[in-house]
């Protein structure tokens, strides 16, 4: 299922005084997806490195001049190209400082836009519809430029598409309420003109987006009434007409998006792949009025898959480069990473992860999608239906609609709300449960935040258990659960939500690590995860042996000296180990507290976004967390410790990744903290022993390879002794 991750600010904006535009003309990809060029509406072009969120270079034209189209990067010549005052083309390199001293050429007609695809030659689109390759234009800048467009026809949108090895310039125009699409093919030059179907009330499209796949150009366009249409144009067999005769352009309704209280104004839709579109400026179906969201919709199954509220004014601009969305809002240009995994019906309808067979049982009140899609029977639901068939027949006229239940949640007592929601979820006549679950959670969370006396944990847990939710749909749910100390609900959200932001993950970690063991023990948690920690805690520390070069009862150098010596630990050392019980073998936190920390360890994250939030932990909490991570690693390093695949537990890799993250975020503080000295020495000794082990294994690598290459005798009889010589 698609997900939007936590975003970050690339740069600040200087919007127009009347907020009519964001102050940005365009964002263009430079040498790779980690470098972008931002052009403002006045005089500046800035190169940013996205991962570092810092400018690498900035160029400004002189006072009195104006940039009239966004700058692009010519990857063939490693040069930047921009247009000022509509007719002056400026070209410069990264090392140039003063643009007034760089190359410039004045052309004979106004330029609308310069395009440049990666590895292709820049293309110039003129305001009257003519197209030229940049090199041919610069060879004779004052060459006459023909007029392609009719009188009163103006360009509204344009794009450059690379179809295999062929470049296409595509642009839309408007003339007296009619809208047209031009498709210009280069080398050889052919032009085709299409007429878009008129929308009701002669509405004009708000945005366009185009992509190429399967030898067709796919055009998406969004109208103020929320209708998102798609037109598919074959790139084969384009005629050589002059564009005067417009062909009708068939369209199909792809999505009917919500519009809220009035028509959309500053909205945009952008193609992400063949099954997903990003939409900004369109209301979230589960949120209240007055909030602007960035959403990802699945067009194959008509479902909302991710949403993120954007603070400040939305300007209807949106760009996408390599799984990063660039969106200006308020006074910032934000970068929002996203993922769009391959769609399936189950995932689009809410199955957010591939559960293990024993984990995939849905609660009796909500049928699982395996039952719906594959016809599997749900015995518990069948029995319930058989028992209550007569009752349901008599009460069918008393059932509330979903809209009535949503209104009832806002004012009714908690007991009535719980009864009606449970009844609504158990009904068999509801066809599309996912959007309803999202609406129910949104209203329940909203009222719980406003009314401190209202909270129904069982219903919220049941809704999360349906697995039709994600953090983007109900962004306040985890924080509400933490506020109400509903740690079971927190655990479920951490398990089932694939898109929890790193800031929320760190908030959960801070809450769990700082809570007392007595408070944690009061919580009712998921049984499998508790069973795992009970097994870990019950392990006798005497059942310890060395593995992977790690002696858990001692980190002294003398122990690591014999790791590969005679293949066994001396009897004296073994005896010493059995008579001692090091603190490292005792869990530093309580059972339930450990269970909650394990859920944090298994949550997906991006290291870049997680590190800044980890720095908010206090040194005391960091030491305790590292002690717990060390305890887990010791247990995982024992041969006596079983790997229980049927129980929820963090992997060894996840544990070590978190150790590295915490050390990266707090190493300086830990060095200055006396309580952490022993812990750091233990970790240092462990790393030293690992290095020694790898070094010793490297010495016998050749011998081990010889053993693997030796031919095994087919017939060795019932008993044989074979001498192997290693050189």
């Amino acid at each position: 299922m698609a997900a939007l991750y936590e975003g970050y600010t690339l740069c600040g904006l200087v919007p127009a005084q009347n907020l009519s535009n964001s102050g940005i003309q365009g964002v263009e990809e430079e040498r790779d997806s980690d470098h972008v060029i931002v052009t403002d509406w006045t005089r500046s072009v800035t190169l940013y490195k996205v991962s570092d969120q810092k400018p690498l270079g900035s160029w400004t034209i002189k006072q009195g001049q104006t940039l009239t189209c966004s700058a692009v990067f010519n990857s063939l010549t490693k040069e930047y190209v921009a247009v000022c005052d509509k007719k002056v083309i400026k070209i410069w390199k990264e090392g140039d400082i003063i643009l007034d001293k760089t190359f410039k050429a004045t052309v004979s007609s106004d330029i609308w836009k310069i395009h440049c695809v990666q590895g292709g030659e820049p293309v110039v689109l003129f305001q009257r519809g003519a197209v030229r390759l940049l090199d041919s234009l610069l060879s004779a800048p004052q060459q006459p430029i023909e007029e392609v467009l009719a009188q009163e026809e103006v360009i509204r949108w344009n794009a450059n598409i690379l179809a295999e090895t062929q470049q296409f310039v595509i642009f839309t125009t408007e003339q007296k309420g009619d809208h047209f699409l031009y498709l210009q093919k280069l080398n050889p030059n052919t032009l085709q003109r299409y007429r878009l179907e008129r929308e009701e009330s002669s509405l004009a499209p708000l945005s366009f987006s185009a992509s190429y796949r399967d030898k067709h150009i796919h055009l998406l366009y969004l109208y103020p009434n929320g209708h998102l249409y798609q037109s598919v144009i074959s790139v084969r067999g384009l005629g050589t007409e002059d564009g005067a005769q417009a062909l009708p352009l068939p369209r199909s309704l792809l999505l009917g998006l919500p519009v809220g209280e009035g028509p959309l104004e500053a909205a945009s839709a952008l193609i992400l792949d063949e099954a997903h579109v990003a939409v900004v400026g369109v209301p979230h179906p589960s949120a209240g009025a007055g909030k602007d969201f960035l959403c990802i919709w699945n067009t194959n199954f008509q479902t909302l898959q991710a949403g993120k509220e954007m603070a400040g004014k939305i300007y209807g601009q949106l760009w996408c480069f390599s799984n990063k969305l660039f969106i200006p809002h308020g006074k910032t240009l934000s970068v929002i990473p996203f993922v769009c995994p391959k769609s399936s019906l189950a995932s689009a309808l809410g199955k957010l992860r591939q559960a293990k067979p024993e984990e995939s049982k849905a609660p009796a009140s909500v049928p699982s999608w395996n039952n719906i899609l594959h016809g599997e029977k749900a015995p518990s639901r069948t029995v319930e239906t058989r028992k209550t068939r007569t009752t349901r027949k008599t009460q069918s006229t008393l059932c509330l609609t979903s809209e009535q239940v949503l209104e009832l949640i806002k004012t009714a007592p908690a007991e009535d709300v719980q009864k009606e929601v449970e009844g609504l979820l158990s009904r068999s006549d509801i066809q599309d449960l996912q959007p309803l679950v999202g609406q129910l959670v949104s209203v329940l969370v909203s009222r719980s935040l406003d009314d401190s006396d209202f909270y129904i944990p069982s219903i919220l847990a049941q809704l999360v258990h349906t697995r039709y939710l994600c953090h983007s749909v109900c962004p306040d749910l985890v924080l509400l659960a933490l506020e109400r100390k509903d740690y079971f609900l927190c655990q479920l959200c951490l398990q089932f939500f694939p898109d929890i932001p790193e800031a929320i993950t760190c908030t959960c970690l801070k809450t769990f690590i700082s809570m007392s063991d007595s408070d944690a023990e009061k919580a009712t948690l998921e049984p499998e995860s508790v069973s795992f920690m009970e097994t870990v805690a019950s392990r006798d520390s005497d059942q310890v042996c060395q593995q992977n070069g790690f002696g858990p009862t001692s980190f002294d150098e003398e122990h690591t000296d014999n790791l590969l010596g005679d293949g066994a630990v001396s009897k004296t050392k073994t005896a010493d180990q059995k008579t001692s019980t090091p603190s490292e073998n005792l869990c530093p936190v309580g059972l339930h507290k450990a269970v909650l920390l394990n859920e944090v360890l298994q949550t997906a994250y991006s290291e870049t976004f997680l590190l800044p939030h980890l720095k908010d932990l206090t040194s005391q909490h960091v030491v305790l967390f590292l002690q717990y991570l060390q305890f887990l690693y010791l247990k995982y390093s024992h041969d006596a410790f079983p790997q229980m695949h049927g129980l929820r537990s963090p992997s060894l890799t996840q544990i070590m990744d978190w150790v590295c993250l915490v050390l990266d975020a707090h190493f300086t503080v830990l060095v200055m903290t006396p309580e952490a000295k022993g812990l750091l020495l233990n970790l240092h000794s462990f790393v030293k022993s690992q290095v020694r082990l790898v070094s010793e294994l490297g010495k016998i690598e050749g011998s081990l390879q010889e053993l693997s290459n030796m031919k095994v005798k087919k017939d060795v009889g019932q008993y044989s002794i074979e001498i192997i010589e290693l050189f």
Side-chain angles (χ1 to χ4, degrees):
M1 187 160 135
L4 291 166
Y5 296 116
E6 185 175 1
Y8 49 91
T9 299
L10 183 64
C11 64
L13 303 179
V14 184
Q17 291 185 355
N18 59 358
L19 298 180
S20 59
N21 63 68
S22 64
I24 288 182
Q25 286 199 61
V27 178
E28 301 284 347
E29 188 176 18
E30 202 225 21
R31 68 200 77 171
D32 54 44
S33 60
D34 198 33
H35 296 79
V36 295
I37 311 164
V38 179
T39 307
D40 66 25
W41 273 108
T42 54
R43 301 167 50 216
S44 298
V45 177
T46 307
L47 171 65
Y48 288 94
K49 185 173 182 181
V50 178
S51 58
D52 293 340
Q53 300 112 60
K54 67 178 183 180
L56 300 180
S58 182
W59 303 271
T60 305
I61 59 177
K62 66 181 182 180
Q63 190 75 30
Q65 296 179 338
T66 303
L67 292 168
T68 50
C69 80
S70 56
V72 297
F73 180 71
N74 185 350
S75 59
L76 300 178
T77 62
K78 311 299 181 186
E79 293 175 327
Y80 302 92
V81 185
V83 177
C84 64
D85 300 330
K86 298 184 180 180
K87 290 186 178 181
V88 181
I89 299 175
K90 287 185 175 288
I91 300 177
W92 71 96
K93 292 184 179 292
E94 187 172 353
D96 294 329
I97 299 176
I98 302 175
L99 289 188
D100 201 39
K101 296 182 179 180
T102 59
F103 175 85
K104 63 181 178 181
T106 303
V107 297
S108 61
S109 184
D110 290 349
I111 294 175
W112 176 263
K113 186 75 169 67
I114 294 182
H115 290 284
C116 189
V117 296
Q118 192 71 22
E121 185 179 346
V123 179
V124 181
L125 172 63
F126 289 89
Q127 282 195 3
R128 302 307 301 160
V131 175
R132 293 286 190 278
L133 291 173
L134 180 62
D135 283 351
S136 65
L137 178 62
L138 294 179
S139 64
Q142 289 298 312
Q143 61 183 274
I145 304 299
E146 71 277 9
E147 291 196 6
V148 176
L149 305 184
Q151 290 293 331
E152 300 182 10
E153 189 176 6
V154 293
I155 297 177
R156 295 303 185 194
W157 169 85
N158 62 99
N160 191 21
I161 293 178
L162 184 63
E164 298 171 357
T165 59
Q166 180 67 56
Q167 280 200 71
F168 290 87
V169 176
I170 180 172
F171 59 95
T172 63
T173 64
E174 182 179 0
Q175 181 188 24
K176 297 179 180 179
D178 289 324
H179 295 268
F180 302 91
L181 173 73
Y182 289 81
L183 186 59
Q184 172 78 59
K185 180 180 178 181
L186 303 175
N187 292 332
N189 291 331
T190 58
L191 177 66
Q192 186 61 64
R193 185 179 187 228
Y194 299 90
R195 180 190 296 272
L196 275 65
E197 294 183 27
R198 279 208 176 201
E199 186 65 358
E200 59 183 26
S201 304
S202 298
L203 295 175
L206 290 174
S207 74
F208 291 87
S209 178
S211 67
Y212 173 79
R213 63 179 183 270
D214 301 329
K215 301 187 184 303
H216 290 80
I217 293 175
H218 295 253
L219 180 72
L220 261 63
Y221 37 109
L222 175 66
Y223 283 90
N225 57 8
H227 290 177
L228 182 64
Y229 292 98
Q230 176 178 246
S231 295
V232 181
I233 309 162
S234 175
V235 299
R236 291 181 175 181
L238 285 179
T240 58
E241 295 88 347
D242 60 1
Q245 184 65 35
L247 301 177
L249 183 64
R251 69 180 186 182
S252 58
L253 182 62
L254 205 60
L255 282 174
L257 299 171
V259 297
E261 298 177 352
L264 304 176
E265 295 180 358
S268 181
L270 189 66
I271 300 173
L272 301 181
D273 60 23
E274 64 273 10
H276 298 90
V277 295
V279 180
V280 67
V282 175
H284 193 292
S286 301
K291 296 182 179 180
D292 290 312
F293 280 81
L294 170 65
C295 298
I296 295 180
W297 287 79
N298 186 305
T299 57
N300 287 346
F301 305 113
Q302 310 280 307
T303 56
L304 173 64
Q305 298 211 325
K308 181 180 288 290
E309 185 177 356
M310 308 305 296
K313 179 178 173 59
I314 294 294
Y315 303 98
Q317 292 175 299
L318 191 61
W319 297 272
C320 177
F321 305 108
S322 299
N323 283 57
K324 297 184 187 74
L325 291 168
F326 295 76
I327 172 174
H329 59 102
K331 294 185 177 182
T332 60
L333 174 62
S334 293
V335 182
I336 313 292
F338 69 93
V339 292
C340 289
K342 189 174 181 180
S343 299
S344 65
L345 181 58
S347 65
L349 293 175
K351 185 179 179 182
L352 299 178
R353 65 178 184 132
Q354 292 297 326
K356 299 174 184 178
E358 63 270 20
E359 294 177 345
S360 61
K361 297 177 182 178
S365 59
V366 180
S368 72
W369 284 108
N370 284 335
N371 300 337
I372 296 174
L373 299 176
H374 305 298
E376 299 174 4
K377 295 182 179 179
S380 59
R381 186 173 176 84
T382 304
V383 172
E384 178 197 6
T385 304
R386 189 176 296 122
K387 287 181 179 180
T388 60
R389 185 177 300 159
T390 304
T391 305
R392 287 189 178 180
K393 284 182 180 179
T394 59
Q395 294 182 349
S396 60
T397 58
L398 303 178
C399 291
L400 299 178
T401 65
S402 57
E403 290 78 9
Q404 291 173 325
V405 173
L406 291 172
E407 288 298 321
L408 180 139
I409 293 174
K410 298 177 181 179
T411 55
E415 296 78 10
D416 295 343
V417 171
Q418 180 170 355
K419 177 182 177 181
E420 292 299 334
V421 172
E422 288 177 345
L424 183 64
L425 293 176
S426 64
R427 284 164 51 183
S428 59
D429 60 332
I430 298 178
Q431 301 298 323
D432 197 356
L433 197 58
Q434 185 191 14
L436 176 59
V437 169
Q439 292 171 350
L440 289 171
V441 168
S442 179
V443 177
L444 286 168
V445 170
S446 179
R447 182 176 176 187
S448 299
L449 292 172
D450 296 336
D451 183 358
S452 59
D453 296 329
F454 180 86
Y455 187 68
I456 312 177
S458 59
I459 288 297
L460 292 173
Q462 183 179 354
L463 292 171
V464 173
H465 256 301
T466 63
R467 304 183 187 179
Y468 300 153
L469 297 172
C470 61
H471 182 270
S472 301
V473 173
C474 44
D476 295 325
L477 180 58
V478 179
L479 295 178
L480 173 66
L482 291 174
E483 178 186 327
R484 299 299 180 96
K485 296 184 178 181
D486 187 352
Y487 300 120
F488 177 60
L489 182 59
C490 288
Q491 184 185 24
L492 293 180
C493 293
L494 290 172
Q495 286 183 16
F496 297 146
F497 290 1
D499 60 339
I500 293 181
E502 287 76 2
I504 301 297
T505 300
C506 278
T507 301
C508 292
L509 173 60
K510 189 186 301 184
T511 302
F512 298 158
I513 201 71
S514 60
M515 67 191 299
S516 65
D517 289 336
S518 58
D519 287 343
E521 294 304 318
K522 297 176 183 177
T524 302
L525 300 179
E526 199 268 332
E528 288 186 357
S529 54
V530 176
S531 299
F532 168 77
M533 282 310 302
E534 286 176 341
T535 305
V536 173
S538 65
R539 281 288 147 192
D540 189 348
S541 61
D542 292 345
Q543 301 180 13
V544 173
C545 65
Q546 288 184 329
Q547 181 186 8
N548 297 332
F550 189 22
T553 59
S554 176
F555 294 94
D556 294 339
E557 186 68 27
E558 63 177 289
H559 283 250
T560 61
D561 288 340
N562 292 328
L563 287 176
L564 290 171
D566 56 5
V569 182
S570 66
K571 295 180 180 179
T572 303
K573 292 172 183 174
T574 305
D576 291 341
Q577 291 173 359
K578 291 187 177 182
T579 58
S580 62
T581 307
S583 60
E584 290 87 354
N585 288 325
L586 300 177
C587 186
V589 298
L591 176 64
H592 282 201
K593 190 171 180 177
V595 170
L596 294 172
L597 291 176
N598 287 349
E599 296 298 343
V600 173
L601 298 182
Q602 298 173 79
T603 303
Y605 63 87
S606 167
E607 181 177 335
T608 303
F609 305 134
L610 184 63
L611 273 174
H613 299 291
L614 279 178
K615 295 179 180 179
D616 294 336
L617 295 175
T618 65
S619 58
Q620 180 184 0
H621 294 155
V622 169
V623 171
L624 180 59
F625 190 36
L626 282 174
Q627 288 173 343
Y628 177 66
L629 292 173
Q630 178 186 252
F631 162 78
L632 281 182
Y633 193 87
L634 287 170
K635 292 296 184 180
Y636 273 63
S637 300
H638 298 167
D639 283 332
F641 178 73
Q643 299 298 311
M644 295 166 290
H645 298 291
L647 302 179
R648 278 191 58 80
S649 59
S651 67
L652 185 60
T653 301
Q654 289 171 329
I655 296 169
M656 290 309 300
D657 286 345
W658 273 92
V659 171
C660 296
L661 282 168
V662 175
L663 289 176
D664 286 345
H666 291 275
F667 185 75
T668 303
V669 176
L670 290 170
V671 170
M672 302 298 292
T673 304
E675 296 83 0
K677 182 178 179 180
L679 179 63
L680 291 178
L681 287 175
N682 284 349
L683 294 174
H684 171 73
S685 299
F686 160 67
V687 173
K688 191 173 182 179
S689 68
Q690 292 290 299
V691 172
R692 177 182 289 269
L693 173 65
V694 173
S695 176
E696 295 295 330
L697 288 175
K699 295 177 182 179
I700 63 173
E701 180 182 7
S703 301
L704 295 175
Q705 289 178 349
E706 286 297 324
L707 286 175
S708 64
N709 294 333
M710 292 181 62
K711 295 181 179 179
V712 181
K713 295 181 179 179
K714 295 182 179 180
D715 185 14
V716 295
Q718 294 182 347
Y719 178 80
S720 69
I721 297 176
E722 187 173 353
I723 299 175
I724 301 174
E725 296 183 4
L726 300 176
F727 298 97

